[in-house]
Amino acid sequence: MLALGIVTLFLTAFTIIYYAYLSNHSERDVSFFLSVSFLSMLLNLCTNASGGSGLSVVYLIIAVVFLGVGFAVDLHETLAFYTSIGPWFKETFTNTKLIGWQILSLAICPAGIALYFVWYKDKPTLAKVCGRCGIFGVLLLGLLLWMILGVAL
């Protein structure tokens, strides 16, 4: 059941990213789906932290249903989202000029955030990449810490 809770966390995170994309690129109002996905993520984390992972099935059903409903909300933008995933991965992980800075900023979050403030005037593109990876690193560290403490306690 614990594995189901962790898989549901990642699927719910994907659902949040998906509806954030739709809210920025679609004319449809997806705030309900986005807010329920955020609440589902928070409740899933709390459920996993309490050790009662029986409710993970409910969160899994919510995430799968919301991903399916996204096709009905805006089919064109949903297809655009799924077709943009491959090029995004290719661009992100084959850019040899920035991959070292991205890994450093993600692994050592304060360094990425500090590099943003150091380089925001001189090298704005590199500063934006380092700052974004630093913030994602902080969020990922918090999520992993919450998951690990939920498993350990």
Side-chain angles (χ1 to χ4, degrees):
M1 285 306 259
L2 182 61
L4 179 65
I6 293 172
V7 167
T8 304
L9 281 173
F10 285 108
L11 189 61
T12 306
F14 180 77
T15 305
I16 291 171
I17 293 168
Y18 167 64
Y19 277 106
Y21 177 88
L22 281 182
S23 71
N24 287 331
H25 293 88
S26 176
E27 295 179 9
R28 312 275 182 169
D29 184 23
V30 293
S31 59
F32 169 76
F33 299 109
L34 197 55
S35 61
V36 171
S37 296
F38 275 119
L39 285 173
S40 178
M41 174 67 90
L42 179 67
L43 292 173
N44 195 0
L45 283 167
C46 292
T47 301
N48 288 345
S50 69
S53 24
L55 287 175
S56 295
V57 174
V58 174
Y59 306 127
L60 178 67
I61 291 170
I62 289 171
V64 169
V65 166
F66 276 14
L67 287 174
V69 167
F71 284 97
V73 170
D74 195 344
L75 180 64
H76 177 69
E77 289 301 328
T78 298
L79 294 176
F81 170 74
Y82 285 115
T83 56
S84 70
I85 292 174
W88 178 81
F89 269 106
K90 184 178 179 185
E91 178 187 332
T92 301
F93 295 111
T94 60
N95 191 351
T96 56
K97 295 185 295 186
L98 298 178
I99 193 74
W101 292 111
Q102 289 172 335
I103 292 171
L104 173 74
S105 299
L106 187 67
I108 306 170
C109 316
I113 295 169
L115 286 173
Y116 171 77
F117 289 110
V118 170
W119 288 336
Y120 76 92
K121 284 187 181 177
D122 299 334
K123 304 173 187 175
T125 306
L126 185 58
K128 185 177 176 182
V129 167
C130 289
R132 185 181 296 159
C133 286
I135 290 172
F136 284 146
V138 168
L139 294 174
L140 185 64
L141 183 65
L143 181 69
L144 288 174
L145 185 63
W146 200 339
M147 286 173 37
I148 291 170
L149 287 177
V151 170
L153 300 177

